[in-house]
Amino acid sequence: MVPLFTAQHVYDAVPPERAVDAVRDAFVAYARGEWTMPPKVYVHAYPAGDFRAMPALGSGHALLKWVTSFPGNPAKGMPTVMGVVLVSSAEDGRLLALLDAGAVTAVRTGAAAVLAAETLGRADAETAAVVGAGVNGEAAARTFAARGREALVWDVDEARARAVAERVGARVAASREEALGADLLVTVTPGREVLLPEGSLRPGQHVSLMGADGPGKAEIAVAELARGRLFCDDWEQASHGGELAAAVEAGVIGRADVAQIGDVLDGTADGRTSPSDITLFDSTGLALQDLAVALVALESADRLDLPQVPL
């Protein structure tokens, strides 16, 4: 029998503030070579969506995440992200737990978005906003709130934005422009529309770009991306399937232009160097983040009434 963490169990076991700390530690462990992460594998089912297989190894555990991204699903009443996370012992291979992949993804996405904003944003940043009020956008707004910062929320569906704001203690932005003008901006959209055209960002802003996590997606124009100081979760992954990919393909940026967030957190790479810097974080989502969240959840297994899955 293997314990199963449903979505609600994941949310109960991993509060946002704990997720931020866990994801920070995972980025640093990866930067130091203490955790390993083979490349993410995409199985394309375009134009509908794709499947992803994501492995990682660290802290005596191995993880495999099998997860989907089907952006048209909400119109059918189904989640965009579905799947399962498997956690095993790295000592003897025993399967230790199964976790709902959608919830793990939401928790670690919110944590990474806010961690990047806190790490790379201006020290005197006053306003924060989340554009996109889906599951992952809600997680980002909830994480801002847990860290003591009220966020504006904007979505093409005003009713959805209002519902999210009420649930997490945020405020609905009066317009998309108001949200996009925040000091700390998180974009969590399907990546089918460029939100930030050339010249749209002002000096001193930070943007966590969370939506473009696969080929062909973009939330920011290449020319605008090139204006900023660039950061990512993992260069190999981001340069091939993230927000940076189009700029790399166009020859606008290269490896020397981008720092990994783990190196910044570990003190081996510079973050923001001036209050006027525009900082941009490209998140493609890493299995090591999933492992970090899963390990926190496992700490609570004994106190939760978890269903058991026979294998």
Side-chain angles (χ1 to χ4, degrees), residues 19-29 115 118-119 147 262 265 292:
V20 171
D21 292 339
V23 169
R24 177 191 293 110
D25 292 345
F27 278 138
V28 172
L115 173 62
E118 293 177 348
T119 303
R147 305 288 283 182
L265 293 166

Side-chain angles (χ1 to χ4, degrees), residues 46-197:
Y46 291 158
D50 61 67
F51 299 85
R52 305 166 191 192
M54 303 169 60
L57 178 72
S59 293
H61 294 78
L63 171 143
L64 177 64
K65 180 180 178 183
W66 176 247
V67 66
T68 67
S69 178
F70 280 70
N73 275 6
K76 306 174 184 178
M78 300 168 62
T80 298
V81 176
M82 295 182 286
V84 64
V85 171
L86 298 88
V87 181
S88 299
S89 165
E91 295 181 358
D92 55 26
R94 284 177 300 120
L95 183 61
L96 301 176
L98 305 174
L99 300 92
D100 178 84
V104 171
T105 301
V107 171
R108 59 89 147 150
T109 299
V114 174
L115 173 62
E118 293 177 348
T119 303
L120 303 171
R122 297 195 325 271
D124 64 347
E126 295 182 354
T127 57
V130 178
V131 174
V135 174
N136 293 339
E138 178 171 346
R142 187 182 305 278
T143 304
F144 269 129
R147 305 288 283 182
R149 188 183 294 272
E150 181 187 60
L152 296 171
V153 177
W154 187 88
D155 192 273
V156 291
D157 184 337
E158 183 179 352
R160 180 165 59 186
R162 194 167 303 283
V164 167
E166 290 177 358
R167 284 197 293 269
V168 307
R171 182 165 61 88
V172 178
S175 66
R176 187 173 80 165
E177 289 66 33
E178 181 188 17
L180 293 176
D183 296 332
L184 306 176
L185 173 62
V186 174
T187 57
V188 200
T189 74
R192 294 191 293 263
E193 176 188 357
V194 171
L195 296 171
L196 300 165

Side-chain angles (χ1 to χ4, degrees), residues 226-296:
R227 289 181 61 214
R229 287 182 55 80
L230 303 178
F231 305 86
C232 68
D233 47 14
D234 178 71
W235 166 255
E236 289 301 320
Q237 192 164 290
S239 62
H240 290 90
E243 195 71 62
L244 300 177
V248 172
E249 185 176 350
V252 174
I253 65 168
R255 178 66 185 91
D257 301 310
V258 184
Q260 294 186 157
I261 189 72
D263 295 323
V264 176
L265 293 166
D266 196 33
T268 58
D270 291 332
R272 173 178 290 274
T273 58
S274 165
S276 63
D277 285 345
I278 296 172
T279 54
L280 302 164
F281 172 64
D282 179 15
S283 170
T284 52
L286 306 184
L288 64 91
Q289 298 166 245
D290 299 310
L291 178 56
V293 168
L295 293 181
V296 174

